[in-house]
């Protein structure tokens, strides 16, 4: 019941969240920008961000895989990649306090998008929904997301539903030109009757929500 409908292929996304030691954040980001090309030689990176607001000393990165066999092959190749292990993994591990990963699928009504231009900011919104999966809350959640899209102040990049990790969780990535543009748009949305009605219906199934403002790293495909 926690999975529900998704796209008709086997593609999935691994969402990795790392908490970095506060005194080591700059060093970690510099290492990622310098050596991540060794990692992306093995599989596709969707985006890599540091968290600006909503958490501290945290990075989020998303990787795309064709299927689980593909991920297994990539992980095996990475373990045997002496450059990746020696130049990044060995020196980076002491900088990391905690790691967490999830496997998620794009919801069937969303395609992975790109921002209209570089230089904006990303908002990562996590919704922990009530048990029951999209069969219970999917339509109401979709309506709430679409209501925000229709206001025109923001662009949705992707909507992901977890398969491994915390179940009944949805991650939505939004793009805005700036934090101030996002704040002004949110203010207008809160006064839009269509948004208010859609959100009121969706929150009946919501347990909690977390918002983070993200800044893309230099090496991130999504900038």
């Amino acid at each position: 019941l926690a999975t529900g409908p998704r796209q008709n292929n086997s593609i999935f996304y691994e969402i990795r969240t790392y908490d970095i030691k506060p005194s080591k954040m700059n060093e970690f980001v510099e290492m990622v920008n310098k050596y991540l090309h060794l990692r992306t030689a093995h599989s596709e990176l969707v985006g890599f961000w540091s968290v600006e607001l909503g958490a501290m000393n945290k990075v989020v990165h998303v990787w795309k895989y064709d299927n689980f066999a593909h991920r297994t092959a990539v992980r095996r190749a990475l373990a045997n990649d002496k450059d990746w292990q020696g130049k990044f993994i060995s020196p980076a591990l002491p900088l990391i306090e905690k790691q967490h990963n999830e496997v998620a699928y794009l919801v069937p009504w969303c395609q992975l998008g790109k921002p209209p231009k570089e230089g904006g900011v990303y908002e990562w919104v996590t919704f922990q929904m009530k048990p029951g999966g999209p069969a219970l809350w999917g339509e109401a959640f979709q309506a709430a997301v679409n209501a925000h899209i229709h206001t025109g102040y923001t662009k949705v990049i992707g909507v992901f539903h977890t398969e491994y990790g915390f179940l009944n969780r949805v991650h939505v990535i939004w793009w805005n030109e700036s934090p101030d543009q996002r704040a002004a748009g949110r203010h207008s949305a809160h006064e839009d009757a269509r948004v208010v009605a859609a959100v009121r219906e969706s929150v009946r199934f919501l347990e909690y929500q977390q918002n983070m403002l993200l800044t893309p790293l230099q090496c991130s495909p999504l900038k």
Side-chain angles (χ1 to χ4, degrees), residues 121-213:
V121 294
Y122 293 79
E123 183 178 11
W124 185 288
V125 188
T126 299
F127 300 90
Q128 185 63 51
M129 308 301 289
K130 293 183 182 299
L136 176 66
W137 43 258
E139 290 185 5
F141 187 88
Q142 180 180 354
V145 170
N146 285 336
H148 283 88
I149 293 172
H150 293 158
T151 63
Y153 81 89
T154 187
K155 176 177 175 57
V156 67
I157 301 299
V159 182
F160 303 90
H161 179 215
T162 56
E163 181 77 6
Y164 287 100
F166 291 101
L167 297 185
N168 297 289
R169 175 172 287 188
V170 185
H171 300 287
V172 184
I173 308 176
W174 301 94
W175 179 91
N176 289 278
E177 290 188 14
S178 69
D180 288 319
Q181 188 257 354
R182 182 263 183 195
R186 291 283 291 179
H187 180 76
S188 298
H190 290 161
E191 298 180 348
D192 188 314
R194 298 167 299 175
V195 175
V196 172
V199 169
R200 183 178 291 125
E201 175 64 19
S202 179
V203 297
R204 296 195 300 113
F205 307 104
L206 179 67
E207 293 193 339
Y208 66 83
Q209 173 183 338
Q210 180 187 22
N211 292 35
M212 297 188 298
L213 190 70

Side-chain angles (χ1 to χ4, degrees), residues 64-85:
K64 180 180 179 181
Y65 293 102
D66 297 335
N67 49 46
F68 288 97
H70 178 211
R71 181 184 183 276
T72 297
V74 169
R75 301 301 297 176
R76 185 180 296 116
L78 288 169
N80 293 320
D81 187 326
K82 293 182 179 179
D83 275 351
W84 173 244
Q85 294 294 327

